[in-house]
Amino acid sequence: MKKTILVACLGLVSVLATHAQSNSAKVDYFSAQEIQKQLADLDAKAQPSGGSGSTLGEYANHQLKLSVRSSSGGAEMHAHYADVFYVTQGKATLITGGSITNAKTDDSGETKGNEITGGSTRVISVGDVVNIPPGTPHQLKIAQGTTYSAIVIKVKTQ
């Protein structure tokens, strides 16, 4: 478990370190206790609605977010952002690649749709770290009666 957390932290640090020069004036610290409290609050909101999220911080070229899901989400693809997930609770089936059905792209380059066809499927769970490059369709499927949560780093690439 300690090795998994160490690997996850090193991965997150390397992603953020490449962008640190442009945002060296601001240092934020989010304690584990604070993150757990926010995740618990989001969990209460996610149960009736299927999902909830919050932003820990927004910076020049990345955002730190928390996400809690109690039901599956639609498919999405980001033109200008990579997503890095660090799973903190539960498990989900992650589908990546393939095609988004009923896809609609807005002016910011965000594409959303019903589901993915022809993608690769894997189960992700506590301690896993996932990097989803820009332009990659992805979707999380959550088993009924379970809760999934993650720290999400959205890294602006363009």
Side-chain angles (χ1 to χ4, degrees):
M1 179 65 170
K2 287 181 181 180
K3 184 177 179 183
T4 302
I5 292 172
L6 176 62
V7 170
C9 289
L10 290 174
L12 296 176
V13 167
S14 69
V15 167
L16 295 176
T18 61
H19 300 291
Q21 295 169 340
S22 65
N23 196 30
S24 59
K26 184 174 181 177
V27 175
D28 284 332
Y29 168 75
F30 307 99
S31 70
Q33 184 178 17
E34 179 183 354
I35 289 171
Q36 289 304 317
K37 181 184 180 325
Q38 285 193 41
L39 286 170
D41 292 344
L42 292 171
D43 186 26
K45 294 176 186 174
Q47 293 310 315
S49 65
S52 187
S54 67
T55 301
L56 292 171
E58 291 189 45
Y59 308 95
N61 35 26
H62 67 282
Q63 300 169 2
L64 301 176
K65 296 181 167 282
L66 299 176
S67 175
V68 177
R69 301 199 62 83
S70 60
S71 65
S72 299
E76 60 185 33
M77 180 175 64
H78 316 296
H80 306 292
Y81 285 91
D83 281 346
V84 179
F85 300 161
Y86 173 65
V87 182
T88 59
Q89 177 186 2
K91 64 181 180 178
T93 300
L94 174 66
I95 306 167
T96 56
S99 301
I100 298 176
T101 61
N102 298 317
K104 295 191 178 26
T105 304
D106 66 20
D107 292 339
S108 69
E110 297 293 303
T111 302
K112 296 188 179 198
N114 295 346
E115 62 184 348
I116 292 178
T117 57
S120 299
T121 301
R122 69 189 51 79
V123 174
I124 58 175
S125 59
V126 175
D128 290 349
V129 176
V130 179
N131 177 67
I132 301 173
T136 303
H138 55 284
Q139 180 177 19
L140 289 170
K141 299 258 184 164
I142 313 299
Q144 188 173 0
T146 65
T147 300
Y148 161 89
S149 66
I151 297 171
V152 179
I153 303 171
K154 296 188 79 60
V155 181
K156 189 168 186 174
T157 60
Q158 299 176 11

